[in-house]
Amino acid sequence: MGIVVLTMKASVIEMFLVLLVTGIQSNQEMTKKMKRPKFTVPQISCDVRAGKITNVEFIVKCPPGCQDPRYHVYGADVYASYSSVCGAAVHSGVLDNSGGKILVRKVAGQSGYKGSYSNGVQSLSLPRWRESFVVSEGKPQKGVTYPSSLTYSSSKSPAAKAGETARADQSPPVPGTAAQPVTVTQAPGTTAIEATHTTLPKPSPSAGSTASGLRPQPAGQRSKDLDLWSTTTYINSQNSPQANPGFVPKEELSTQSLEPASQGDPSCKVDLSFLIDGSSSIGKRRFRIQKQFLTDVAQTLDIGPAGPLMGVVQYGDNPATQFNLKTHMNSQDVKAAIEKISQRGGLSNAGRAISFVTKNFFSKFNGNRGGAPNVAVVMVDGWPTDKVEEASRLARESGVNIFFITIEGASENEKQYMLEPNFANKAVCRTNGFYSLTVQNWFSLHKTVQPLVKRVCDTDRLACSKTCLNSADIGFVIDGSSSVGTSNFRTVLQFVANLSREFEISDMDTRIGAMQYTYEQRLEFGFDEYSTKSDVLNAIKRVGYWSGGTSTGAAIHYALEQLFKKSKPNKRKLMILITDGRSYDDIRIPAMLAHHKGVITYAIGVAWAAQDELDIIATHPARDHAFFVDEFDNLYKVVPKVIQNICTEFNSQPRN
């Protein structure tokens, strides 16, 4: 009987516990439901660029009217983050001009973006950009939490007008992480990107591995300083540049001269970065010589806001900014900052340093002035332990002039240990000795000060900098129909020659190609045939008059296939079409195809040319790309207008 009672009591207790647990769970579920915030879609204006928003993935609502050409878009399908978010959504077809919700996801930067005309929006081409994004329908993905308010990289963001709180201390999260605002604490004088870069693991090549670019010491090799950094010196406190790449000591930021600061030499207005070798192989003594060289250069340059500005990046395993372009505004302060630089040690990864400078150093945040040429002087002890050719090519394509100073280069016996033979010539844009200096030994380095300063200040010869005159593949499409006539055809060729003369022509700079058309088409010469201005001008003179009908649509299609298919990926593609009459075939589809392929088209009409066709052929807006003259003898008047518009359009593109 007692056993039965105990069993019944146990059952009652068990039922009570089950009910209690169930109640608690039910309570928790109700609490969760009550606490779950309601998701509201943030609204943005048409002029908000994706790069201003630090969230990696988000849903936003766009207003009507974002099809307006004022809101610039760069690329197609994948857009540069300098683009209008809502403008890109209209271009991609996700939205129409009435607005609506879209899902935006950040992705990696691209090496190039092709412009196209789509859904009433003409997107522009861009050589490269640091970050991209894609847009899709504004439907939330399962399991993803989207922000109800956006985080901006600057308090001056356009969305701040709508009541959004912008935070200047935030940097864009790495694509692929949770779409939540992340606050990054960075060292003074460095960008958020630089701070992120410092988390990269240092390479640890195996001992004796020649493939990694380490320098074995064979018999007879030149003697190196043996006073390499000891472990206790190299591994310093957490507040040292060695422990924290990108760290800038506070005292460097506050170094100010009590004397009136010079405004600088206006005849040498350049933004200059020195990439100094801090590798272990250089030793303390040579490192001091290198610092003295920088000091002498700073003194010779006469640094100031109206003249040259100078910053320093030191590299070993990884690069770090010692001070940027805006940190110091006179030679005395720069010299004091150089004196405080400590050697980092490690390998000699110059290629990694060049990539770092291209992506991070020459930015507006770091003092880049935009109108001044960007110059990077890379100093190398012996040879780099990584490859520099590809990194240098990308730097040049971004408008950075690369100079190499090689001190105590490899002997014939040592060349077998080099990872990239003839690295300096592969890195610079000219192999004529202008961009590459070789110094026999460190004690002769001081003799290089004057030659280097003279070269970096010779802005007329800094041909690696991208300008509107040295960065395009230009294809001339010439009407050779019967209505033109022999005499007028020679006038057209003179017009082509006059335009070509305005450009800096070489294989590395602007390239010229030409074709002639009637009912049929003929390639006169391609982009890769002539690499000097004189050769191009002579080739133009040799073009013979064809005579026939006028099939302009077929000519545009032929130019895309035979001329621009061989254009270099990072060149701006310009088509300049000259015609004197209405086309016998349809020009709409070929013109649209040219726009879609990112070819910027200028249409020049003479005499009987139809204005409506010129407007269709020309890139939008037609008023900047279509020109008409009443007779052939007036073609020369168009030359300055075309050049001016080409340069205005080029200069309106954002710089990375």
Side-chain angles (χ1 to χ4, degrees), residues 189-201:
T190 61
T191 64
I193 298 175
E194 290 169 9
T196 306
H197 184 90
T198 65
T199 61
L200 291 173

Side-chain angles (χ1 to χ4, degrees), residues 510-584:
T510 290
R511 304 187 304 169
I512 304 290
M515 60 158 289
Q516 185 181 171
Y517 74 95
T518 57
Y519 283 126
E520 300 177 283
Q521 306 84 35
R522 181 171 74 196
L523 182 66
E524 302 294 352
F525 55 90
F527 295 131
D528 53 358
E529 288 189 45
Y530 303 109
S531 57
T532 68
K533 188 175 293 188
S534 59
D535 287 345
V536 167
L537 295 177
N538 286 331
I540 293 169
K541 286 180 184 177
R542 292 194 298 269
V543 173
Y545 177 48
W546 205 358
S547 186
T550 309
S551 294
T552 306
I556 296 172
H557 189 270
Y558 182 88
L560 296 176
E561 292 298 316
Q562 299 301 319
L563 264 179
F564 290 100
K565 244 188 180 175
K566 297 180 181 178
S567 180
K568 290 185 177 180
N570 289 298
K571 294 279 190 182
R572 296 174 72 230
K573 300 170 183 63
L574 303 180
M575 181 193 301
I576 301 178
L577 185 144
I578 308 107
T579 182
D580 79 327
R582 185 174 288 276
S583 178
Y584 294 168

Side-chain angles (χ1 to χ4, degrees), residues 109 278 364 412 426 466 502 564 573 579 617:
K364 188 175 181 181
E412 286 301 318
K426 292 178 179 178
K466 276 197 165 188
E502 298 293 325
F564 290 100
K573 300 170 183 63
T579 182
I617 294 168

Side-chain angles (χ1 to χ4, degrees), residues 49 65 125 183 194-195 265 331 406 480 493 649:
R49 299 192 296 265
S125 297
T183 302
E194 290 169 9
D265 180 4
S331 295
T406 307
L493 292 184
E649 188 168 50

Side-chain angles (χ1 to χ4, degrees), residues 581-593:
R582 185 174 288 276
S583 178
Y584 294 168
D585 63 352
D586 178 64
I587 50 99
R588 291 178 181 274
I589 293 175
M592 190 178 296
L593 186 61

Side-chain angles (χ1 to χ4, degrees), residues 234-541:
Y234 182 68
I235 305 175
N236 214 325
S237 67
Q238 287 302 304
N239 288 332
S240 70
Q242 291 75 33
N244 290 310
F247 175 84
V248 180
K250 290 181 181 177
E251 58 267 28
E252 286 188 18
L253 295 174
S254 60
T255 304
Q256 298 294 333
S257 173
L258 297 177
E259 300 176 4
S262 166
Q263 290 300 302
D265 180 4
S267 66
C268 181
K269 189 176 180 180
V270 295
D271 290 341
L272 179 62
S273 169
F274 273 90
L275 283 68
I276 62 172
D277 191 338
S279 60
S280 298
S281 67
I282 195 174
K284 288 185 179 179
R285 188 179 184 186
R286 291 183 174 93
F287 190 73
R288 285 195 297 271
I289 294 172
Q290 186 175 211
K291 286 170 56 176
Q292 184 58 49
F293 172 77
L294 292 186
T295 299
D296 294 343
V297 170
Q299 185 63 48
T300 307
L301 279 172
D302 185 17
I303 289 166
L309 294 180
M310 178 174 164
V312 175
V313 171
Q314 183 186 172
Y315 68 92
D317 289 330
N318 291 306
T321 301
Q322 302 298 308
F323 55 89
N324 61 35
L325 295 168
K326 69 179 182 181
T327 310
H328 306 293
M329 287 291 152
N330 60 67
S331 295
Q332 287 301 114
D333 290 347
V334 169
K335 287 164 63 178
I338 292 168
E339 183 57 34
K340 294 171 183 170
I341 296 175
S342 300
Q343 187 181 9
R344 297 179 60 79
L347 300 178
S348 183
N349 290 331
R352 182 174 292 182
I354 293 168
S355 296
F356 173 81
V357 165
T358 303
K359 294 175 183 176
N360 304 324
F361 187 86
F362 291 110
S363 66
K364 188 175 181 181
F365 180 87
N366 286 329
N368 183 36
R369 291 173 287 184
N374 295 158
V375 178
V377 179
V378 185
M379 302 186 69
V380 180
D381 172 47
W383 61 90
T385 52
D386 64 351
K387 292 187 176 183
V388 300
E389 182 177 12
E390 180 64 13
S392 299
R393 182 184 66 81
L394 292 173
R396 296 195 309 268
E397 290 175 354
S398 299
V400 180
N401 295 273
I402 299 287
F403 283 79
F404 256 75
I405 301 178
T406 307
I407 307 102
E408 296 185 10
S411 65
E412 286 301 318
N413 292 333
E414 293 172 329
K415 286 182 179 178
Q416 60 181 311
Y417 304 114
M418 295 173 66
L419 188 62
E420 191 175 33
N422 201 26
F423 64 89
N425 281 341
K426 292 178 179 178
V428 298
C429 72
R430 297 285 188 278
T431 56
N432 57 7
F434 183 80
Y435 293 95
S436 180
L437 297 95
T438 302
V439 182
Q440 293 302 317
N441 59 72
W442 280 94
F443 304 105
S444 301
L445 182 59
H446 66 279
K447 298 177 183 178
T448 312
V449 172
Q450 291 293 344
L452 177 67
V453 169
K454 186 177 180 181
R455 295 180 193 197
V456 299
C457 291
D458 189 356
T459 53
D460 291 336
R461 292 190 66 184
L462 293 179
C464 296
S465 244
K466 276 197 165 188
T467 70
C468 57
L469 302 178
N470 68 8
S471 57
D473 281 343
I474 302 177
F476 288 96
V477 180
I478 305 167
D479 184 349
S481 60
S482 303
S483 57
V484 175
T486 305
S487 176
N488 287 334
F489 188 77
R490 304 318 299 176
T491 304
V492 171
L493 292 184
Q494 187 60 52
F495 169 74
V496 172
N498 289 343
L499 275 174
S500 300
R501 278 194 188 92
E502 298 293 325
F503 293 90
E504 298 168 24
I505 296 172
S506 77
D507 185 55
M508 292 293 298
D509 300 310
T510 290
R511 304 187 304 169
I512 304 290
M515 60 158 289
Q516 185 181 171
Y517 74 95
T518 57
Y519 283 126
E520 300 177 283
Q521 306 84 35
R522 181 171 74 196
L523 182 66
E524 302 294 352
F525 55 90
F527 295 131
D528 53 358
E529 288 189 45
Y530 303 109
S531 57
T532 68
K533 188 175 293 188
S534 59
D535 287 345
V536 167
L537 295 177
N538 286 331
I540 293 169
K541 286 180 184 177

